[in-house]
Amino acid sequence: MIELKNIVVKFDNFTALHNINVHVKEGEFFTFLGPSGCGKTTTLRTITGFIDPAEGTVSVKGRDITHVAIEDRNIGIVFQSYALFPTMTVYDNIAFGLKVKKLKKAEIDRKVREIAKKVDLSDEQLAKAVSQLSGGQQQRVAIARALVTGPAIICMDEPLSNLDAKLRVQLRNELKRMQKEFGITTIYVTHDQEEALTLSDRIAVFNKGYIEQIGTPNEVYNHSKTEFVCNFIGDINRLSPEVSRALGADPAMHNYIRLERIHVNVEPKQSDVVLPGTVESMEYYGLYIKYTIHLGSQTIKVIEKNDGVNIYEPGQQVKVVLNPRDVMAYSAEEVAK
Ligand SMILES: Nc1ncnc2c1ncn2[C@@H]1O[C@H](COP(=O)(O)OP(=O)(O)OP(=O)(O)O)[C@@H](O)[C@H]1O
Ligand SMILES: [Mg+2]
């Protein structure tokens, strides 16, 4: 549906995007994930039409839109800072795009009220000025405004980053529900890996103007293609050469294992490797417990489900159970590139 082919973007002498290739399918929730400055917003702005790429093409449903004006692309946009009109009412903010399209008053009214209901904004709130609303409510206004014109595509740039943690989780669930309900092809930008993993059908992981991997949440998390991806997408242990050897991994490689793949004091299964460790510290999260454990010359972190019975205290000797199959290995040269 949306295709970026060999996109290069330059700001003077600085190349912000090097040969970006992405193909977003119809109805897909597709996320650009990566650290600050890696080129997520620049890629999104190239799709929406704010940036003219030096090379490459953007097409939607096979039509080349690389040089089509922003307003002719039929793409809904939600930015981090909402870009709402603060002194106008919520109603007028949502109605704005429909007025620009010169729709009849009655039709505007019907559409505004319909979308407001979908994002849980009451009639009372519609009459208020945007500045009188909370951050989460303003966020819903921004989403309603982007959806009301019925775009086939919606682009969102860190739309939840100004909200507190609880509201962020609540709104992201709503976003996902609406996206599925409307079937809108969505491109979502975030630097929050948890947000990316929970929301996305597929994720593109960016680094320094390149895409390192495109895949489903499970592919990027459990089968990280590069060392950068494996480090960026969730917590992980780098294994010492000694522990690598014990697991039958090549100690010359950079070997990693995720925290939840390691277990403490369980009955080893076939092909598991058991190493003696000493608990250094534990963090109690309720749902799970995170341990830091001395394992030979290194410390590793382990996450165990909290079963309410097996809780290990600092100083305690434990059996650390690992499986060689869970090791993700990267060549040292690849890192130096
Ligand atoms: N208008 C501009 N002029 C010059 N350089 C720019 C411009 N816009 C972006 N850049 C540079 O391009 C690179 C990518 O920026 P971009 O805004 O795409 O990053 P990002 O991944 O969205 O980061 P963040 O998570 O901080 O929003 C950065 O190094 C940035 O400084
Ligand atoms: Mg950005």
Side-chain angles (χ1 to χ4, degrees), residues 11 14 16 35-42 158 191:
F11 298 111
F14 174 71
S36 184
C38 67
K40 306 178 296 290
T41 296
T42 303
E158 312 238 9
H191 61 265

Side-chain angles (χ1 to χ4, degrees), residues 32-52:
F32 296 166
L33 175 69
S36 184
C38 67
K40 306 178 296 290
T41 296
T42 303
T43 309
L44 199 75
R45 289 169 64 85
T46 307
I47 297 170
T48 50
F50 292 97
I51 289 177
D52 223 359

